[in-house]
Amino acid sequence: MTLLQHARFHIKMNLLASALTKTSMLCGSLLLLLSLVSFMSGPFLDLEGPSPVPLPLRKVSLESDDLPRGRPGDRSLASAFPDNIWASQLAEFYQGCSAASDSFKKITPTSRNNGLILIQTSGGLNQQRTGIIDAVVVARILNATLVVPQLDHKSFWKDNSNFSDIFDVEWFINTLSFDVKIVKELPTSFRITEDRIYSTRVPRKCKPDYFKDRVLPLLQRKRAIRLTKFDYRLSNRLETDLQKLRCRVNYHALRFTPAIQAMGNTLVERLRRRSGRFIALHLRFEPDMLAFSGCYYGGGESELKELGIIRKRWKSLHHKNPERQRRNGKCPLTPEEVGIMLRAMGFGSDSHLYVASGEVYGGESTLAPLKSLFPNYYTKDTLATKEELKPFLGYSSRMAAIDYMVCDESDVFVTNNNGNMARILAGRRRYFGHKRTVRPNVKKLGTLFLAKHNMTSEAFTSQLRKSQRGFMGEPKESRPGRGQFFENPDACICESYRGKDELVRKRILRDDMDDEVNEHDEDDEEDSDQDSELDMYQEEDGDLVLTQELVGENNR
């Protein structure tokens, strides 16, 4: 090597060393600056602070370089905790679709059928809603005329409202005119009073073939039959056109009366004026529900005594282990736990919260921690005057319908227990744009809350968000056919890709959800949970259950 080459080499090395030194000094300064910012800003999650500035709803570009990517090992964006806690950025790729196929024959006024079906629904508003929906489908299966269903006046709620007091009858009949013939009452041409109509009851979750093989022959002989306690009597899984008929009934034909709609819209408008957006919480924490669950909430001897007295209502209810119930996700979250869950997700103390609930066990003392976490706390009674609510007071189903409307219009819907209203609303919000719907992963959260005091706030927040992945109302959280259809109406959710279909399908919306995320969507688990809630309010009335062994006629 020449002297000139040596000189050039040493100059390059000195320049390189100088650059490295400056870079190190710059990096050190940046690290020091970041440390100071971190020190001044406090911990990542401040449960007492206001809501963080919401992330903008970023539209996902279809260009491959701009697609959102998960970290290595993530199974799907649908199973990740969302960046935007107020809305799903993937909702634009989906839309509700319930139109009948060309092969689904339309009904005409002159179409002949096999007779009339009368339905007696059972339970509260949303349980009755499922009965009404399935009654339309059963009438279609049997090629029968449906008499507008009778609502339950005898169950736990003792509400004497009729169908026309809650739903718009004319709209219901006209919307479904091509699917099923519906009449308001038993035609006089039958020359028989309703109390003389043949009555029977079918088992839970019957398949269409059961109605064709067992019920249709009776209908053809009698020309009119009544199906009693009609709730969840039709199978969860049906052919696509029948599922879409379910959706047309649920999301389009069942519209509340103008009076209920006006009251619900008034409450929503008043909430919007106070805050541009709001959370709605359906809080199930009634004394009888807690007694039935067999759970324990730390109230000592007085709680055990009070709930024990209520439990005696169910003579066949066996003793339950409270800790096991909690670990198995059978205990509804307390109001305080719901508040802590929402705050850990990122909803700040300035968020506006509407609460739909019945009588809360413990009253104000139980609600106080939730109100402390969310001071902007509202109910029907705080948003409306007594005079405005007077037409609905004393009618639990009409009051529930108002809550239903407000919860449906909310930006975020939350529940502490996956009951009938929570399931119905979850499906509806999927159908109409995948509005954010938070259902607690109670199995994991129950255990997490028990260990909360042994964890740092950062560790608790991290574990809670991890537990809630796949329970945030994102598209594709559940595989098609999993869970109860009214909660996951997959047959009525269509993909609306605009170009580069396969790219988006593979990179964003993969179906390979792991079993851990979907642990509450198994049919067997769903059925047992649903039945337990139904049984809580059921009172047997001696109706005949139509089974293979008991097909004989039983005129009542």
Side-chain angles (χ1 to χ4, degrees):
M1 183 179 293
T2 64
L3 290 175
L4 181 59
Q5 289 173 324
H6 274 293
R8 287 176 176 173
F9 175 77
H10 284 294
I11 290 172
K12 288 181 179 180
M13 292 300 294
N14 288 334
L15 289 173
L16 179 61
S18 176
L20 290 172
T21 301
K22 292 179 180 179
T23 301
S24 299
M25 293 176 63
L26 179 61
C27 291
S29 299
L30 288 173
L31 287 173
L32 180 60
L33 180 61
L34 288 172
S35 298
L36 289 172
V37 170
S38 176
F39 176 79
M40 296 175 66
S41 62
F44 173 71
L45 176 69
D46 180 6
L47 289 179
E48 298 304 321
S51 292
V53 177
L55 294 172
L57 184 57
R58 185 174 73 86
K59 287 193 173 182
V60 180
S61 169
L62 298 182
E63 298 300 327
S64 60
D65 290 339
D66 195 36
L67 291 174
R69 296 178 175 86
R71 295 186 302 274
D74 284 351
R75 303 294 294 274
S76 161
L77 285 179
S79 65
F81 193 83
D83 291 332
N84 190 329
I85 56 176
W86 286 95
S88 168
Q89 68 180 28
L90 302 179
E92 63 177 311
F93 295 110
Y94 291 89
Q95 61 186 8
C97 55
S98 58
S101 69
D102 293 338
S103 61
F104 198 68
K105 185 178 178 180
K106 291 184 178 180
I107 300 297
T108 66
T110 59
S111 298
R112 296 178 60 87
N113 62 38
N114 295 311
L116 280 93
I117 291 289
L118 291 82
I119 297 292
Q120 286 184 336
T121 61
S122 183
L125 174 66
N126 293 287
Q127 186 174 326
Q128 293 186 92
R129 189 185 188 99
T130 62
I132 295 167
I133 295 165
D134 285 350
V136 173
V137 180
V138 168
R140 174 74 189 206
I141 292 170
L142 296 174
N143 186 27
T145 295
L146 175 68
V147 179
V148 168
Q150 297 175 327
L151 302 189
D152 188 353
H153 296 165
K154 298 179 180 179
S155 69
F156 175 83
W157 289 271
K158 300 292 190 281
D159 187 331
N160 63 1
S161 296
N162 294 317
F163 189 100
S164 59
D165 295 318
I166 299 174
F167 300 106
D168 187 328
V169 179
E170 297 295 338
W171 178 268
F172 177 71
I173 294 173
N174 294 333
T175 303
L176 298 170
S177 60
F178 291 122
D179 298 307
V180 174
K181 185 177 180 180
I182 305 174
V183 295
K184 293 182 181 179
E185 55 189 16
L186 189 69
T188 56
S189 59
F190 267 74
R191 297 179 181 179
I192 185 174
T193 58
E194 285 199 14
D195 60 338
R196 299 292 302 275
I197 294 291
Y198 176 86
S199 296
T200 188
R201 181 164 17 128
V202 298
R204 294 260 177 91
K205 301 178 177 62
C206 296
K207 295 181 179 180
D209 286 345
Y210 184 95
F211 287 97
K212 292 177 182 178
D213 297 340
R214 305 295 179 187
V215 180
L216 182 57
L218 290 174
L219 176 62
Q220 290 172 330
R221 288 200 301 272
K222 296 293 184 180
R223 294 292 297 158
I225 62 174
R226 177 188 291 109
L227 300 180
T228 62
K229 285 193 177 297
F230 200 80
D231 50 48
Y232 299 96
R233 304 291 164 174
L234 184 60
S235 173
N236 191 41
R237 298 181 181 181
L238 303 173
E239 62 177 80
T240 300
D241 264 325
L242 292 180
Q243 296 286 48
K244 286 184 178 293
L245 176 55
R246 266 178 166 162
C247 295
R248 290 198 293 280
V249 182
N250 194 8
Y251 307 131
H252 299 286
L254 279 178
R255 187 169 74 177
F256 293 124
T257 62
I260 292 175
Q261 288 192 74
M263 190 71 257
N265 289 332
T266 296
L267 299 187
V268 172
E269 289 170 6
R270 290 173 183 174
L271 281 164
R272 294 287 183 208
R273 285 201 297 267
R274 288 167 169 78
S275 174
R277 58 192 182 188
F278 67 95
I279 306 166
L281 165 63
H282 183 225
L283 183 63
R284 297 294 310 278
F285 210 71
E286 300 91 344
D288 52 337
M289 182 183 185
L290 300 186
F292 185 85
S293 72
C295 300
Y296 174 69
Y297 290 95
E301 287 297 324
S302 60
E303 177 185 323
L304 294 174
K305 183 178 179 179
E306 291 169 356
L307 297 186
I309 293 173
I310 299 175
R311 281 179 65 83
K312 292 179 181 179
R313 168 184 161 187
W314 300 280
K315 296 181 175 63
S316 60
L317 191 63
H318 63 275
H319 176 74
K320 298 179 180 179
N321 184 307
E323 290 187 9
R324 183 180 300 135
Q325 290 290 98
R326 182 82 158 173
R327 289 195 302 270
N328 290 337
K330 304 297 184 182
C331 298
L333 299 182
T334 68
E336 180 179 18
E337 288 169 343
V338 175
I340 293 173
M341 176 186 74
L342 290 173
R343 295 297 299 277
M345 287 179 184
F347 296 101
S349 60
D350 58 345
S351 299
H352 288 241
L353 179 68
Y354 177 87
V355 177
S357 70
E359 176 192 0
V360 173
Y361 179 68
E364 282 301 313
S365 62
T366 301
L367 291 171
L370 176 61
K371 291 182 177 181
S372 176
L373 290 166
F374 290 95
N376 298 309
Y377 179 103
Y378 306 98
T379 64
K380 292 188 297 293
D381 297 321
T382 63
L383 290 171
T385 65
K386 291 183 178 179
E387 191 65 27
E388 288 174 318
L389 291 175
K390 187 176 180 180
F392 312 101
L393 295 175
Y395 302 99
S396 60
S397 291
R398 300 181 209 184
M399 296 288 275
I402 296 171
D403 277 335
Y404 181 102
M405 283 196 64
V406 179
C407 290
D408 183 37
E409 291 296 325
S410 66
D411 298 275
V412 177
F413 173 64
V414 189
T415 178
N416 72 322
N417 184 61
N418 212 21
N420 289 311
M421 180 169 167
R423 293 171 187 268
I424 289 283
L425 273 174
R428 181 179 179 85
R429 291 170 69 87
R430 287 184 185 278
Y431 185 86
F432 289 108
H434 280 87
K435 293 185 286 187
R436 174 71 69 217
T437 303
V438 179
R439 56 189 183 113
N441 185 351
V442 286
K443 181 173 286 189
K444 287 189 174 181
L445 293 185
T447 302
L448 182 61
F449 275 111
L450 289 175
K452 180 178 180 291
H453 297 293
N454 298 323
M455 308 170 67
T456 64
S457 61
E458 292 81 4
F460 174 80
T461 297
S462 176
Q463 287 297 315
L464 186 142
R465 292 186 175 192
K466 182 179 179 181
S467 298
Q468 281 300 118
R469 292 185 305 183
F471 290 79
M472 299 293 289
E474 292 285 337
K476 297 291 186 179
E477 280 184 346
S478 302
R479 292 193 184 102
R482 288 289 181 90
Q484 212 265 348
F485 181 76
F486 294 106
E487 180 180 14
N488 184 34
D490 55 273
C492 307
I493 308 294
C494 296
E495 300 173 355
S496 57
Y497 297 108
R498 299 183 299 277
K500 297 191 177 181
D501 296 3
E502 292 304 317
L503 177 62
V504 176
R505 190 188 307 275
K506 292 178 181 178
R507 295 293 299 277
I508 298 182
L509 303 170
R510 292 174 293 178
D511 288 333
D512 58 338
M513 298 290 293
D514 56 35
D515 293 334
E516 181 181 21
V517 169
N518 286 290
E519 62 186 1
H520 286 347
D521 289 326
E522 297 293 343
D523 283 338
D524 291 342
E525 186 166 326
E526 178 272 318
D527 288 348
S528 63
D529 287 348
Q530 188 66 60
D531 289 347
S532 66
E533 183 183 3
L534 299 185
D535 293 340
M536 175 180 170
Y537 296 114
Q538 294 292 338
E539 295 178 7
E540 295 300 321
D541 61 1
D543 286 352
L544 171 69
V545 177
L546 183 63
T547 64
Q548 185 171 355
E549 294 76 25
L550 297 174
V551 185
E553 299 177 2
N554 180 40
N555 288 307
R556 300 180 61 196

